[in-house]
C-alpha cells in the first residue's frame, strides 16, 4: 500500500490538500475526497468556506453543500448563548427552543453570512442556508472524536432539508 501511495518522484499521495509556504512549512487545508465540484466544474474547498462562516460569533458550526450544484448552501448551528444575548439586546423575549425558528434569528444569520461571503470568491459564497435545531456533536454521530464533521452522516440525516434549498434547480449530470 505504501508503494502504491508513493509516486516516481518520491511524493506520498495521502489525499490531503495543502501548500508549502516560503519557509518550507507544510499546511494541510482540506481532504481531496471532500472537495465540492460545482455545476460549472470549479473545485471548491468546503473547509475554507466553513472556516470563514464560523468567524461569526453567532454561528457555532456549519456544513456547506454544492457538489454538482449551481450554488453553495449550508446547514448552520447557531451559538445559542450569543444569539440569546443578541435577542436580549434587541428587547426580544425568546425561549431557547424558539431560537432556531425565529425570524429575527434567521435575519441575523443571513446578515452574518452575507457579511462573511465578501471574504469568499463569488462561486464559493453561500446563497441559501437553513438553521437546524440539533447541534452537530459526537453524541449524535455528526462529529468525530476530533470534532470534524461526519459529512456522510450529516448529509444522510438532513437530505430533505438540503434538497429543499435546491428546489427548482436541476442537478448537473456528469
Amino acid at each position: 500500500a505504501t508503494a502504491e501511495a508513493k509516486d516516481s518522484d518520491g511524493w506520498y499521495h495521502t489525499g490531503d490538500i495543502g501548500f508549502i509556504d516560503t519557509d518550507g512549512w507544510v499546511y494541510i487545508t482540506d481532504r481531496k475526497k471532500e472537495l465540492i465540484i460545482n455545476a460549472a466544474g470549479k473545485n471548491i474547498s468546503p473547509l475554507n468556506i466553513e472556516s470563514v462562516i464560523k468567524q461569526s460569533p453567532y454561528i457555532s458550526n456549519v456544513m456547506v453543500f454544492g457538489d454538482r450544484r449551481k450554488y453553495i448552501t449550508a446547514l448552520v448551528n447557531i451559538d445559542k448563548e450569543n444569539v440569546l444575548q443578541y435577542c436580549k439586546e434587541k428587547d426580544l423575549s425568546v425561549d431557547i427552543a424558539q431560537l432556531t425558528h425565529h425570524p429575527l434569528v434567521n435575519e441575523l444569520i443571513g446578515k452574518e453570512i452575507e457579511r462573511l461571503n465578501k471574504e469568499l470568491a463569488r462561486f464559493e459564497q453561500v446563497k441559501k442556508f437553513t438553521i437546524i435545531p440539533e447541534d452537530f456533536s459526537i453524541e449524535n454521530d455528526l462529529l468525530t472524536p476530533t470534532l470534524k464533521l461526519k459529512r456522510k452522516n450529516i448529509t444522510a440525516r438532513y437530505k430533505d432539508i438540503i434538497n429543499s434549498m435546491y428546489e427548482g434547480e436541476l442537478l448537473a449530470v456528469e
Side-chain angles (χ1 to χ4, degrees):
T2 301
E4 288 176 21
K6 192 174 174 183
D7 70 13
S8 61
D9 293 330
W11 287 95
Y12 282 101
H13 295 270
T14 63
D16 293 307
I17 295 173
F19 65 93
I20 301 173
D21 72 7
T22 55
D23 294 326
W25 289 92
V26 176
Y27 293 86
I28 305 297
T29 58
D30 214 335
R31 297 279 304 149
K32 188 174 182 178
K33 69 180 181 180
E34 292 179 353
L35 278 182
I36 292 171
I37 302 173
N38 71 6
K42 295 262 190 200
N43 288 344
I44 302 169
S45 166
L47 282 176
N48 180 52
I49 299 168
E50 291 159 357
S51 66
V52 168
I53 299 300
K54 286 194 298 187
Q55 290 176 29
S56 168
Y58 304 110
I59 297 174
S60 62
N61 216 334
V62 62
M63 181 170 160
V64 298
F65 304 87
D67 202 41
R68 300 182 309 158
R69 303 289 194 152
K70 292 181 183 174
Y71 54 88
I72 301 294
T73 61
L75 293 177
V76 175
N77 290 159
I78 58 171
D79 184 306
K80 291 178 177 76
E81 286 182 29
N82 286 342
V83 171
L84 276 172
Q85 183 61 40
Y86 175 84
C87 290
K88 271 186 190 173
E89 290 168 7
K90 297 288 181 189
D91 292 325
L92 184 67
S93 155
V94 180
D95 184 293
I96 196 160
Q98 300 171 316
L99 274 182
T100 58
H101 305 295
H102 199 282
L104 180 71
V105 174
N106 200 60
E107 182 182 319
L108 168 66
I109 298 304
K111 286 179 180 176
E112 285 294 288
I113 289 174
E114 188 178 310
R115 175 180 68 82
L116 293 163
N117 268 342
K118 293 174 185 167
E119 296 182 29
L120 299 166
R122 188 176 169 100
F123 63 89
E124 294 175 311
Q125 294 178 357
V126 174
K127 303 294 185 211
K128 293 184 181 182
F129 68 92
T130 300
I131 300 169
I132 55 172
E134 176 184 37
D135 288 336
F136 302 146
S137 70
I138 297 167
E139 294 75 27
N140 64 16
D141 202 32
L142 299 179
L143 290 180
T144 68
T146 57
L147 305 180
K148 293 183 182 97
L149 297 172
K150 287 190 172 182
R151 293 181 185 280
K152 286 182 183 176
N153 293 7
I154 294 168
T155 302
R157 185 167 306 173
Y158 293 104
K159 180 181 169 187
D160 292 340
I161 291 172
I162 296 162
N163 287 335
S164 74
M165 290 189 282
Y166 291 104
E167 281 182 4
E169 184 210 17
L170 296 175
L171 185 63
V173 180
E174 292 180 349

